[in-house]
Amino acid sequence: MFDFVSFFPRAVMQGIPLLFGSTGEILTEKSGNLNLGIPGIMYVGGISGVIGAFFYEQSVGSGELNGLLAVLIPFLCSLIGSLLMGLLYCFLTVTLRSNQNVTGLAMTTFGVGVGNFFGGSLIKLTASEVPSIALGRTSIFFKTALFGETNGWFGQMFLSYGFLAYLAIIIALGASFFLNRTRPGLHLRAVGESASTADAAGINVTRYKYLSTCIGSMIAGLGGLYYVMDYANGVWSNNAFGDRGWLAIALVIFTIWRPSASIWASILFGGLYILNIYLPTGGQMALMELYKMLPYIITLLVLIVVSLRKKREDQPPASLGLSYFREER
Amino acid sequence: MTALETVKNAIKMENITKRFGSVVANRGINMELREGEILSLLGENGSGKTTLMNMLSGIYFPDEGQIYIHDQPVTIASPKDAFDLGIGMIHQHFKLVDLFTATENIILGLEGKLDRANARKKVQEICDKYGFDIDPDMKIYDMSVSQKQTVEIVKVLYRGADILILDEPTAVLTPQETEKLFAVMRNMKADGKSLIIITHKLHEVLAVSDRVAVLRKGEYIGDVATKDANQQSLTDMMVGRSVSLNIDRPLPVNVEPRVVIDGLTVFDELGVKRLDDVSFSINSGEILGIAGVAGSGQRELLESIAGLYPISSGSVLFTPPEGGEQQQLVGKDPMDIRKAGIAMSFVPEDRLGMGLVGSMGMTGNMMLRSWRKGKGIFLDRKDPEALAQRIWQELEVVTPSTSFPVRRMSGGNVQKVLVGREIAQAPSVLMTAYAVRGLDINTSYTIYNLLTEQKMQGVAVVYVGEDLDVLLELCDRILVLCGGQVSGVVDARTTDKMEVGALMTRMGGGQNNA
């Protein structure tokens, strides 16, 4: 029998990294920056947190970890790591006006390389037998259910998560409010729709592009942190993050650039991602892999439906992927 | 003189110079706008009018010189600085976000809490004050061109601008809309605002402005009070030599039907009838003008003939000039029609949208028409290059080289490239739409002469135009469209503006064939 009450929390935990990633990417894309470096940035966000946690655990030795520090240090490290990636992307595409697609893809390759390099180095330092770093002591603080109550189906489905999961939802709701209800949000959307219009209206295009892309990167980076510290119980092994970064970008398209819709859609994606474990596959690997395709297939379906409907509001930001130079004629 | 001295300057520009690379767009310009006047800024394409105005609106920054606003020296480093100084510019290409409502566009870039209801109220107040008619909650993509322009004007007024710059505001308006705009401009002037209008149309200059300033090749030629000026004197100032305003119109030669259209009916993708039982013939050796209010089916007509628009019924019969059998063009693909010798140079509002590739140079764009020619898989660059060189010289295209991206040329030059290329195909039928839209007088006459030359060589020329004066002087016959129907075909030599104008607004009139 399909047990929804135990399936749902697992779908949520799969979905949260995607929610962070897609919220970050939506904010970025609303400024007209198509940041395909998101998978790399999420990866860097994860390894940066791991590095912080690793050295904090090392410095404490066998002593007791301070709960606040154990959370704060990886959290800040993760933010700084992904911020640096965001800054690099902005410098290349906004200041130097290089091609966004090429830069983004390079950033992903670069980010994964950075992650694997430091991951490998830390594994060497621990001289461990298995090719992974276990930060279980830190992970406990990330995993502690925020509301402490996990009894009953309600508790299990809605109250059993660590603080980062709730943060992801708050950020998504906040981003939605920001984009639709505030003046800077209006300005940001104007930059993504038509940078020259925004510029002529006195909006500082460069500043908006930098800020939204960097903040978006930091939010996406938290997805990497959540993945390793909460979902993976603090165990980092190279390349375990998988294709979650690309799923986050697919989610952006699936939700037609709406962070509030990302909340349920990320859980749907998370559920589809692990559906293969719950459905009878008879141990056939091929069938399992086919199930894993589901999120991408429904993204394609959404794209088809959206292009058939031709509704202007459902289109990507009009100047997505274009760099802006005021004196260009 | 004492009366003049009390007039204050809203803007004074002193020794303004702006370079783009090695091209000097503005050289040592000294110019002023007086408070409470409407100043026309006149000049040919590429004479630097827009560049000069963009330095006032903060888009460009001058390389040399000083700007004074209300007699205070200022530095305008960004559009925001311009707003703060009370300067508002209505750009030729509207600066509006299509996805936003009118109100959202109007308040874009302002500070403070986002209060849509309050902003909406203020927008409504401005509309009531100056007599604008727009819905503050309408999305821009649902608006007509003139509504968009109104939003632009409200936008600058909302910011409290007292100096308004309008860059070719009438280029896309109907005569009625233009009249309305001029009324609004006079309203604003009465309200104490100072205005600069850039336009190519001399009768508009004479109708609306108090004073005219003329630029030529990036230099300031001088100014003249409008009451002391006429079309001829302004033209002379603008081009620096006397230009004949009469189009040479020889009688048609060897007139025979080249394309006979019978009962043509088309529907657009929404199922709206765009052409309704249209019948006429295009004859060799003459220029057939097509007149009509914008959107009466001109575009659909040309595209149907060129095989680019689905035809639901009717026939298009083509008689090859070398004799031989008549060909039915309905159902043929555009490539075959083109091969038969029917060329179309359609100049849409967005000149680069159809026909040219913005990032390619002149040569590359010439190759778009000859890509089938080369040997094997290799491209033939030599002939296109020669053609590009010829157009560059004969049409006086202003560009550093034939490989310079056409996107970065000025609008008029882009148009010369497009029209030049189509004529070079030596077609037997040449269809042009809005071939002189946005072009200055001198270039327009170059194009008129080219078309007449084609006619004298026996080409059947179709000219879709907006300016009735030109249609009457250039064409041999004029077909008038109204709401997708032919409301009349008249002899251009004997008809007058009143008759054509009446036909343009009359549905389903009789076919008084000339």
Side-chain angles (χ1 to χ4, degrees):
Chain A
M1 201 36 223
F2 189 76
D3 180 6
F4 189 72
V5 174
S6 73
F7 171 75
F8 185 78
R10 296 195 59 179
V12 171
M13 289 177 73
Q14 281 289 350
I16 293 300
L18 310 183
L19 179 56
F20 273 118
S22 75
T23 308
E25 178 69 358
I26 289 171
L27 276 183
T28 306
E29 291 197 8
K30 281 290 178 184
S31 78
N33 275 354
L34 176 63
N35 189 354
L36 292 181
I38 283 292
I41 290 170
M42 293 174 79
Y43 208 72
V44 169
I47 192 68
S48 304
V50 166
I51 294 170
F54 179 82
F55 285 109
Y56 179 57
E57 280 195 14
Q58 294 279 315
S59 71
V60 173
S62 55
E64 191 85 348
L65 292 186
N66 177 325
L68 188 65
L69 283 179
V71 167
L72 212 55
I73 291 174
F75 191 80
L76 288 178
C77 286
S78 169
L79 288 182
I80 292 169
S82 38
L83 171 65
L84 289 176
M85 291 289 280
L87 273 177
L88 180 59
Y89 176 85
C90 281
F91 179 69
L92 290 170
T93 62
V94 181
T95 306
L96 302 181
R97 292 193 291 278
S98 64
N99 182 299
Q100 295 187 8
N101 296 330
V102 177
T103 308
L105 292 173
M107 293 286 292
T108 286
T109 316
F110 174 68
V112 172
V114 167
N116 286 346
F117 173 76
F118 284 105
S121 309
L122 291 187
I123 291 166
K124 257 190 171 172
L125 280 182
T126 55
S128 123
E129 292 290 313
V130 282
S132 62
I133 311 152
L135 299 165
R137 289 197 291 164
T138 306
S139 171
I140 287 172
F141 294 104
F142 278 91
K143 280 189 82 79
T144 306
L146 195 57
F147 297 103
E149 168 70 55
T150 52
N151 298 326
W153 65 269
F154 186 82
Q156 218 179 329
M157 281 174 73
F158 298 107
L159 303 175
S160 61
Y161 311 105
F163 78 97
L164 277 177
Y166 299 102
L167 184 66
I169 291 167
I170 291 167
I171 290 177
L173 290 174
S176 192
F177 180 84
F178 168 79
L179 285 173
N180 296 315
R181 301 264 169 220
T182 68
R183 200 176 281 275
L186 183 73
H187 291 179
L188 177 61
R189 285 190 290 137
V191 170
E193 286 295 328
S194 166
S196 68
T197 300
D199 191 22
I203 296 169
N204 189 332
V205 173
T206 306
R207 186 201 294 164
Y208 269 90
K209 278 185 178 257
Y210 258 90
L211 274 178
S212 70
T213 306
C214 288
I215 292 173
S217 295
M218 293 193 320
I219 293 171
L222 289 180
L225 183 71
Y226 175 86
Y227 167 78
V228 55
M229 288 304 171
D230 193 330
Y231 176 81
N233 299 318
V235 177
W236 172 276
S237 36
N238 282 351
N239 292 326
F241 188 63
D243 56 358
R244 288 179 174 79
W246 298 114
L247 265 179
I249 292 177
L251 191 57
V252 172
I253 302 163
F254 179 78
T255 61
I256 351 180
W257 292 266
R258 287 173 306 175
S260 53
S262 274
I263 297 170
W264 63 263
S266 66
I267 297 170
L268 174 72
F269 268 44
L272 290 173
Y273 199 66
I274 52 165
L275 200 59
N276 63 79
I277 305 167
Y278 281 78
L279 291 179
T281 54
Q284 282 189 44
M285 290 299 281
L287 205 52
M288 282 175 69
E289 293 301 321
L290 282 177
Y291 279 130
K292 279 190 178 178
M293 282 185 191
L294 282 174
Y296 296 104
I297 290 170
I298 62 166
T299 302
L300 286 176
L301 287 179
V302 166
L303 270 181
I304 291 168
V305 170
V306 164
S307 20
L308 282 180
R309 276 175 61 207
K310 284 187 186 149
K311 203 173 153 217
R312 291 292 296 265
E313 279 76 6
D314 291 347
Q315 300 307 313
S319 66
L320 185 62
L322 307 175
S323 46
Y324 177 66
F325 175 48
R326 186 184 284 166
E327 299 209 359
E328 177 87 54
R329 301 221 276 175
Chain B
M1 283 310 284
T2 48
L4 270 179
E5 277 159 15
T6 57
V7 176
K8 282 198 185 151
N9 286 334
I11 299 174
K12 183 162 177 248
M13 301 180 92
E14 211 173 71
N15 268 320
I16 299 289
T17 297
K18 176 74 187 171
R19 298 182 194 87
F20 292 104
S22 58
V23 181
V24 183
N26 289 133
R27 189 194 305 273
I29 305 259
N30 289 294
M31 197 186 95
E32 70 270 350
L33 169 70
R34 293 169 196 149
E35 285 181 7
E37 79 166 348
I38 299 179
L39 172 74
S40 282
L41 188 57
L42 199 58
E44 298 194 79
N45 288 113
S47 61
K49 305 177 299 277
T50 303
T51 307
L52 187 66
M53 292 301 110
N54 274 336
M55 285 188 275
L56 291 174
S57 65
I59 303 283
Y60 298 153
F61 193 76
D63 295 329
E64 287 166 30
Q66 178 66 51
I67 296 170
Y68 301 86
I69 302 296
H70 298 300
D71 295 327
Q72 300 297 314
V74 294
T75 306
I76 306 172
S78 71
K80 197 173 170 309
D81 291 353
F83 287 137
D84 295 343
L85 291 164
I87 303 171
M89 180 154 170
I90 287 101
H91 295 267
Q92 189 180 357
H93 306 285
F94 299 140
K95 304 272 187 190
L96 296 171
V97 179
D98 278 351
L99 218 54
F100 289 5
T101 65
T103 306
E104 284 172 335
N105 266 291
I106 288 163
I107 59 171
L108 199 62
L110 299 175
E111 312 277 326
K113 198 174 168 292
L114 186 60
D115 182 353
R116 286 190 173 86
N118 194 24
R120 198 180 174 287
K121 220 172 76 198
K122 240 179 109 183
V123 169
Q124 199 62 57
E125 274 166 22
I126 294 173
C127 291
D128 294 344
K129 182 174 173 190
Y130 291 98
F132 297 122
D133 183 24
I134 53 163
D135 174 1
D137 296 324
M138 200 170 178
K139 293 271 173 90
I140 300 297
Y141 61 74
D142 280 332
M143 289 189 174
S144 71
V145 176
S146 95
Q147 284 173 313
K148 288 181 193 175
Q149 188 175 63
T150 308
V151 174
E152 285 275 26
I153 295 173
V154 176
K155 185 161 108 184
V156 298
L157 291 174
Y158 188 99
R159 281 145 215 261
D162 65 348
I163 300 170
L164 280 90
I165 303 166
L166 299 102
D167 188 359
E168 290 195 39
T170 61
V172 288
L173 299 184
T174 64
Q176 289 82 356
E177 288 166 342
T178 304
E179 254 330 297
K180 241 165 96 187
L181 173 70
F182 286 175
V184 166
M185 287 175 66
R186 292 187 193 105
N187 252 341
M188 293 193 283
K189 178 188 157 186
D191 200 33
K193 304 199 183 299
S194 322
L195 296 97
I196 299 179
I197 175 173
I198 301 180
T199 173
H200 288 301
K201 300 178 187 163
L202 293 175
H203 63 270
E204 293 178 356
V205 172
L206 296 171
V208 77
S209 64
D210 301 311
R211 201 161 57 91
V212 190
V214 181
L215 292 186
R216 190 200 306 151
K217 298 206 164 101
E219 289 182 49
Y220 187 76
I221 298 305
D223 71 325
V224 57
T226 309
K227 60 178 179 354
D228 302 329
N230 59 43
Q231 298 216 0
Q232 189 65 49
S233 71
L234 290 177
T235 311
D236 292 351
M237 263 178 104
M238 210 160 85
V239 294
R241 64 192 128 124
S242 249
V243 174
S244 157
L245 275 182
N246 293 315
I247 303 171
D248 186 29
R249 177 169 54 183
L251 286 169
V253 287
N254 299 328
V255 178
E256 53 180 76
R258 183 65 64 227
V259 179
V260 178
I261 287 113
D262 190 33
L264 192 65
T265 302
V266 307
F267 294 87
D268 67 12
E269 51 193 9
L270 299 172
V272 178
K273 203 183 253 189
R274 288 294 170 190
L275 290 177
D276 184 8
D277 195 17
V278 169
S279 306
F280 66 99
S281 73
I282 303 171
N283 300 337
S284 65
E286 70 167 22
I287 299 183
L288 173 70
I290 294 182
V293 183
S296 300
Q298 297 95 321
R299 180 189 187 125
E300 289 81 359
L301 182 58
L302 295 204
E303 292 193 356
S304 302
I305 298 170
L308 297 171
Y309 207 89
I311 294 170
S312 71
S313 67
S315 83
V316 180
L317 281 177
F318 173 67
T319 315
E322 58 273 12
E325 257 179 65
Q326 287 199 330
Q327 299 170 18
Q328 177 61 259
L329 295 186
V330 176
K332 282 203 172 163
D333 76 290
M335 181 56 77
D336 289 339
I337 294 176
R338 190 166 267 289
K339 260 194 226 147
I342 297 176
M344 183 173 82
S345 95
F346 192 95
V347 182
E349 274 169 56
D350 171 14
R351 295 176 183 117
L352 290 173
M354 260 171 91
L356 293 178
V357 177
S359 55
M360 299 211 290
M362 281 178 71
T363 307
N365 275 296
M366 296 304 137
M367 290 171 70
L368 290 182
R369 280 279 174 265
S370 62
W371 55 274
R372 294 210 156 196
K373 281 179 188 156
K375 293 183 197 81
I377 59 163
F378 297 104
L379 288 168
D380 173 12
R381 285 197 79 95
K382 235 188 267 161
D383 293 346
E385 172 64 27
L387 176 59
Q389 290 283 352
R390 223 178 73 211
I391 292 175
W392 186 15
Q393 265 144 37
E394 286 178 13
L395 298 188
E396 297 171 7
V397 178
V398 181
T399 175
S401 77
T402 51
S403 55
F404 188 72
V406 293
R407 175 168 47 86
R408 295 174 63 185
M409 296 182 187
S410 77
N413 285 312
V414 170
Q415 216 141 317
K416 286 184 194 169
V417 174
L418 183 61
V419 175
R421 183 186 69 191
E422 296 305 317
I423 290 176
Q425 303 303 308
S428 55
V429 179
L430 176 66
M431 299 191 287
T432 63
Y434 313 120
V436 297
R437 179 179 269 173
L439 292 193
D440 59 72
I441 295 191
N442 208 19
T443 322
S444 299
Y445 277 76
T446 312
I447 303 263
Y448 300 147
N449 290 337
L450 278 170
L451 294 179
T452 305
E453 224 171 78
Q454 292 293 305
K455 156 181 149 184
M456 294 316 286
Q457 287 169 15
V459 174
V461 181
V462 178
Y463 175 86
V464 176
E466 296 161 304
D467 191 334
L468 284 185
D469 290 312
V470 171
L471 278 166
L472 290 172
E473 281 192 49
L474 174 71
C475 306
D476 299 299
R477 285 187 306 148
I478 299 175
L479 172 91
V480 188
L481 284 176
C482 179
Q485 298 180 336
V486 178
S487 59
V489 183
V490 294
D491 184 338
R493 285 181 175 78
T494 55
T495 187
D496 57 31
K497 255 165 112 168
M498 296 309 292
E499 188 188 5
V500 177
L503 286 172
M504 279 166 68
T505 51
R506 193 181 74 199
M507 294 291 285
Q511 300 256 45
N512 21 341
N513 280 310

